[in-house]
Amino acid sequence: MISELEKNLSPFIQKGQTLIVGFSGGPDSVFLLFALEKLQKHLGIHLIAAHLNHKLRGKESMKDAVFAQKFCKKLNIPFEIQTLDIKRIAKKHKKNLEECGREYRYAFFRELKKKHKATWIVTAHHLDDNIETVLLNFARGCGINGISGMNIRNRDILRPLLTIPKNRILDFLEKNTLEYREDSTNMNKKFIRNFARLEIVPLLRKLNPAFDDVFIRNWTYFQELKNFMETLADTVIARSKYNERRSNLIARASHQKSLSITITTSAFHILPAFLQGEILKKIHTMIHGSTQSLSKTAMDQVIELLKNAKTGKMKTFGGVTALIHSDHIEFFKKNLKKIPRHARLAIL
């Protein structure tokens, strides 16, 4: 198992790099940190364990933090901790509790990444987590990004356990007599992810005992398909007649937070639907910085708008607004009133 983790990790890391390791004290992160410590000398890496106490479970959360600190001390791994009242923060900002916890957790990790001049953030998401993610994405409705699940690498985040199922992790911990903390809320089926893990995934494995292998094959295929679509979208954008000026324009416009991107509607219409969607995601990322606030429904509405809308019609999707002109559509940052001429970019 440790060799499988190393195989997933080694294409991305180099000797001398520092890794911020998310460490809750649960079984998955205990295995991850233990395995990384075993590989540390061989790979020539430095580890920093990061624990965020969400204060969601009262005394149990405090016990998690104490356990995490003791475990790291035993392995001689530097330990960083932050304590936040996530429930209070989520209520104040009217955010979903899980979403808020994730946001502040990764903000903490990135603070540590900067502090320790680290290269990577490493998390303990495993195969079961990925299966649950794909199932929930599919049930809610998604495109190729949703059906392809999590990536082993996503920007500065590495998830080297994505090919390892939970039961193998638990077996490893038992064989090596490694203690870990249990989160009792993980058994509460009122949470949709828990319901998927406890009810749906076991049925799929009963239906097909080789389900894990089938999932990994399909996941790999969809990852490759997603990468191909992204490359194709990049190629379309790169072939625009304004491409030679694109880099400077984006750099200047991004600095002023006022980038505007123009698409000729006739050129856009001849592209297949899947490529239209990829181009819109690229545009959203270029203007807004990510696709985190972009839903598939909103993107489909914009594509429909491109087909039928009259001049002057506007539509906001995620953090971007689309404005219909007579022969083109212009995209710019939501709520932006004026686009400087030098910040305008035509790609199609």
Side-chain angles (χ1 to χ4, degrees), residues 211-269:
F211 176 77
D212 287 359
D213 294 333
V214 170
F215 177 87
I216 290 173
R217 283 200 304 272
N218 289 336
W219 169 61
T220 303
Y221 167 76
F222 284 121
Q223 288 276 320
E224 291 172 352
L225 182 59
K226 181 183 73 170
N227 292 339
F228 171 74
M229 288 170 61
E230 289 176 352
T231 302
L232 201 55
D234 285 336
T235 302
V236 170
I237 292 174
R239 285 178 177 174
S240 71
K241 70 174 185 176
Y242 292 98
N243 181 55
E244 66 274 10
R245 298 171 55 209
R246 196 169 102 257
S247 296
N248 288 335
L249 280 169
I250 292 171
R252 290 166 63 191
S254 296
H255 177 69
Q256 298 185 27
K257 299 181 180 178
S258 55
L259 176 64
S260 166
I261 297 176
T262 297
I263 293 181
T264 304
T265 51
S266 58
F268 189 77
H269 284 326

Side-chain angles (χ1 to χ4, degrees), residues 21 33 41 43 46 79 106 109 137 139 148 161 169 199 202 229 233 236-237 263 266 268 285 287 314 317:
V21 185
L33 195 62
K41 188 174 180 180
L43 295 175
H46 308 288
F79 178 75
Y106 279 95
F109 293 163
N137 287 345
S148 60
L161 305 187
I169 291 172
E199 296 288 338
M229 288 170 61
V236 170
I237 292 174
I263 293 181
S266 58
F268 189 77
T285 299
I287 294 175
M314 296 179 72
F317 64 112

